[in-house]
Amino acid sequence: MTETTEDAVLGGRLRLRQPATGYRAAIDPFLLAAAVEACPGDRVLDLGCGVGTAGLALLTRHPGCHVVGLELVEGHANLAGVNAVLNGLSGRFEPVVGDVAQSPFRGAVFDQVICNPPFHGAERGRPAAAPTKALATREDLAGLAQWLRSALHHLRPRGWITLIHRADRLDEVLALLRVGSGQLRITPLWPARGKPAKRVIVSARKGVAGPLTLGAGLVLHEANGHFTSRADAILRGGGALEP
């Protein structure tokens, strides 16, 4: 059995059991969840949900919605179910084992789709030593195009897709999302003041035309390495990320 830890996150609002080694939740899924505005009754699909971090974080802000998480690694999906129970959210979070490239949902559609796809292309560098971390951070047969096709396929017309990705792959993300969606919003995530953005959050609305907007973004760290007050309000206070 894989050794796990239980961690208090979002200032203690959420408890997460996750593998002690290999891929562990960093700040990206919390920033992704903070960028989503869901309405009561919304059905949200979390592609590649891992141990449920982003979906459960979203539910702490929007308890009236229902999240379905698709996860390739069965052990992670099982932990996502455990985490839902641990946080009293088992009735609103449903993990499903499956592959983004071969979706088990058939014709199902959702009001919103969120995802944190692997950041590295299959051709780049050496994969992580831990197999589960490699799957989470490096594309395999399901590349970025497959992730976004699957997301848009399961999104209802006028629904929102929201994802976090590397800033240096923003051109790929935008090119893929412009096919069948519009009203794109980009929120840069600056590691510190004066530093280039390494991450971006991108949202798009299916079947809706509209201009691309570039938000002010979020500076994550002060010069001393501590979170900025805005970042702290999101990552520890559970607040929303304004575009």
Side-chain angles (χ1 to χ4, degrees):
M1 181 179 294
T2 302
E3 184 181 354
T4 63
T5 63
E6 183 174 314
D7 306 292
V9 295
L10 290 181
R13 290 171 174 80
L14 193 65
R15 292 156 61 200
L16 282 182
R17 288 186 189 166
Q18 55 184 333
T21 59
Y23 181 76
R24 289 172 56 82
I27 65 174
D28 291 345
F30 299 105
L31 294 169
L32 172 64
V36 176
E37 287 303 317
C39 297
D42 272 3
R43 282 174 47 80
V44 181
L45 173 62
D46 181 2
L47 286 178
C49 71
V51 300
T53 310
L56 293 170
L58 175 62
L59 285 168
T60 65
R61 291 179 47 242
H62 298 291
C65 65
H66 182 90
V67 178
V68 176
L70 180 66
E71 173 53 41
L72 179 63
V73 179
E74 185 176 3
H76 288 176
N78 291 340
L79 282 173
V82 169
N83 287 329
V85 173
L86 191 62
N87 290 279
L89 295 169
S90 57
R92 295 191 284 276
F93 184 91
E94 176 190 354
V96 176
V97 178
D99 191 339
V100 169
Q102 298 176 328
S103 170
F105 300 123
R106 298 183 182 275
V109 293
F110 296 82
D111 300 292
Q112 301 210 38
V113 178
I114 63 174
C115 59
N116 180 11
F119 283 166
H120 302 301
E123 76 290 345
R124 177 171 171 173
R126 183 180 300 172
T132 54
K133 186 170 184 178
L135 283 171
T137 59
R138 189 170 183 264
E139 294 170 1
D140 55 5
L141 295 178
L144 181 60
Q146 179 64 66
W147 278 76
L148 298 188
R149 276 198 302 269
S150 182
L152 290 170
H153 174 73
H154 288 300
L155 189 61
R156 68 165 173 81
R158 305 183 68 83
W160 285 96
I161 173 177
T162 305
L163 71 145
I164 186 168
H165 217 290
R166 284 178 19 211
D168 63 359
R169 296 188 72 182
L170 178 59
D171 56 340
E172 296 176 65
V173 173
L174 295 180
L176 292 165
L177 287 179
R178 284 188 182 279
V179 180
S181 64
Q183 207 170 316
L184 285 90
R185 301 188 308 218
I186 303 170
T187 304
L189 301 173
W190 320 102
R193 291 177 179 85
K195 299 289 186 180
K198 291 186 177 181
R199 300 281 187 267
V200 288
I201 292 177
V202 182
S203 299
R205 202 171 184 191
K206 183 175 179 178
V208 175
L212 181 150
T213 59
L214 179 63
L218 174 69
V219 177
L220 293 169
H221 298 99
E222 301 286 5
N224 60 9
H226 294 165
F227 286 126
T228 62
S229 58
R230 281 190 65 209
D232 193 71
I234 294 167
L235 297 171
R236 295 198 179 102
L241 171 61
E242 302 297 332

